[in-house]
Amino acid sequence: MATKTHRYRRVTPAQLQTISSLAIWIPILFAVFKLKTGDTKFRLFIIFLVFGALVDSFGMIIYYFLSNELFDYHEVFQILYLWYECLFFVWLCFFFLNFQQKIVWRNILLICFSGLFITEFILRIVISSPNDTYSSFIYSFFLVTSSFLSAFALLRIAENTGEILRYSWFWILSGIFIYCFSSFFVDMLSYTAIGRGIWSIRVLANIIQYGFFVVGLLKMNKAQ
């Protein structure tokens, strides 16, 4: 008797990106139920999630239903979102650090990244003269900086918190670390054939990050 051959369809990059765009709504749903327990960093975290969800949804709608010419408008919101993401990650990591001149170094990084993203916005949107090498440098620099900062923040949490697995921000910062650490090599090569070939790694890291966010939100309470 002939055996039946099973064929598995490979998920395309576009389908994987769609999964990532939809997956962000899961931590948002959990965050809604924690609104009354949140402080400033939690509310900024919600803005980060909602901002990203709206930008991704806009891009998904353009891709599937509208003209690709509208991606020029999507690019504006994408840069603004990446700028906010960068500032939020840096601010959040420094919140958990404790050393002399902490505020000075935090502000230096925030100003530095703001200058880089404003330049990127002018080049890509205002004068329509994008520089792929510059863009790759900005995103890679942001991700590698966030990787180190989140790693140090996690070490600080481990020193100050007895049961870190019960601490919500340990999981949220772990998700940020995994995403940034897994993505900065991809972003360095994002405008090359190699970078485009391994772009799925970045999307997968993003989905894993959302999973850590969900765990962190489940463990969040008024005390945190």
Side-chain angles (χ1 to χ4, degrees):
M1 182 175 65
T3 58
K4 184 177 180 180
T5 302
H6 295 277
R7 295 183 179 180
Y8 298 95
R9 294 172 56 187
R10 184 178 181 181
V11 177
T12 66
Q15 291 172 331
L16 189 61
Q17 182 62 57
T18 299
I19 294 171
S20 175
S21 298
L22 294 174
I24 193 173
W25 290 99
I26 299 175
I28 289 176
L29 179 63
F30 282 94
V32 168
F33 294 99
K34 301 290 183 176
L35 281 173
K36 293 183 179 180
T37 66
D39 55 2
T40 300
K41 62 182 179 298
F42 177 71
R43 298 182 191 283
L44 292 175
F45 175 62
I46 291 180
I47 294 173
F48 156 69
L49 290 176
V50 173
F51 197 174
L54 293 176
V55 172
D56 279 355
S57 297
F58 183 38
M60 191 167 58
I61 291 171
I62 294 173
Y63 180 81
Y64 285 107
F65 304 109
L66 302 176
S67 171
N68 287 341
E69 295 178 358
L70 292 174
F71 272 117
D72 291 338
Y73 296 99
H74 177 263
E75 194 169 29
V76 174
F77 294 107
Q78 182 73 23
I79 293 175
L80 293 176
Y81 165 69
L82 290 172
W83 184 6
Y84 179 82
E85 179 186 50
C86 173
L87 298 185
F88 172 65
F89 280 8
V90 171
W91 180 88
L92 180 65
C93 291
F94 269 94
F95 180 88
F96 293 98
L97 298 178
N98 186 19
F99 60 93
Q100 289 185 346
Q101 298 185 328
K102 168 180 123 173
I103 304 300
V104 173
W105 282 106
R106 184 198 66 187
N107 292 341
I108 288 174
L109 281 177
L110 293 178
I111 293 171
C112 176
F113 279 119
S114 292
L116 292 173
F117 275 97
I118 289 171
T119 304
E120 167 74 350
F121 187 88
I122 293 173
L123 288 175
R124 190 166 292 274
I125 305 301
V126 178
I127 63 178
S128 299
S129 179
N131 185 314
D132 291 344
T133 302
Y134 179 75
S135 300
S136 179
F137 164 75
I138 292 177
Y139 304 142
S140 300
F141 181 39
F142 150 54
L143 291 168
V144 72
T145 301
S146 297
S147 296
F148 280 107
L149 288 176
S150 57
F152 286 126
L154 287 168
L155 288 174
R156 188 66 181 177
I157 290 174
E159 291 175 357
N160 297 332
T161 307
E163 298 182 5
I164 57 175
L165 296 182
R166 293 186 178 182
Y167 187 59
S168 60
W169 289 101
F170 167 80
W171 291 95
I172 292 172
L173 280 168
S174 294
I176 291 173
F177 170 76
I178 290 172
Y179 166 71
C180 293
F181 185 78
S182 303
S183 300
F184 74 85
F185 283 116
V186 179
D187 272 48
M188 279 196 309
L189 303 171
S190 59
Y191 295 98
T192 67
I194 297 175
R196 289 188 290 271
I198 62 175
W199 187 254
S200 296
I201 295 175
R202 196 183 198 281
V203 182
L204 286 171
N206 201 34
I207 296 172
I208 293 171
Q209 175 186 225
Y210 297 150
F212 275 79
F213 287 172
V214 169
V215 176
L217 289 166
L218 286 172
K219 294 181 178 295
M220 186 167 290
N221 54 46
K222 291 183 180 180
Q224 296 183 35

